[in-house]
Amino acid sequence: MWASPTVEALTLVELVAAEEEARASLESRYFDGRPVLLGDAAQEWAGLRDMVDRLASLAEVLPPVIGARASEHRRSAAAGRRHRADRVQERARMLPTMPG
């Protein structure tokens, strides 16, 4: 099924947010809150996040496409985020704890 650019942009924003939440959770649990992205990777991630934020700003001003309902998308996307967060937490619980 074809999705509108607005819906696609919102989905990308949500995916980036989910990745950041998952990484923050792992950093907190296994690395005493220290960042795990170093050097170039941290810069690349910051650039991606900025690009996604700009894309989201554009998506907010685009007119809705026929058949695309942003409120329906937000509800389903929120459910998807909760599901992904639950999966990440479940996988993190299965990881061995670091000796400390």
Side-chain angles (χ1 to χ4, degrees), residues 3-58:
S4 75
T6 302
V7 170
E8 292 295 329
L10 293 173
T11 299
L12 183 58
V13 167
E14 291 158 358
L15 290 173
V16 168
E19 290 286 336
E20 288 182 330
E21 289 173 27
R23 187 175 61 249
S25 176
L26 292 173
E27 287 171 344
S28 173
R29 183 171 179 180
Y30 295 104
F31 297 96
D32 292 326
R34 292 186 302 267
V36 294
L37 292 181
L38 304 174
D40 292 344
Q43 289 176 345
E44 290 292 324
W45 186 264
L48 173 68
R49 188 181 54 235
D50 290 343
M51 179 187 64
V52 168
D53 288 343
R54 288 192 307 269
L55 185 60
S57 296
L58 288 172

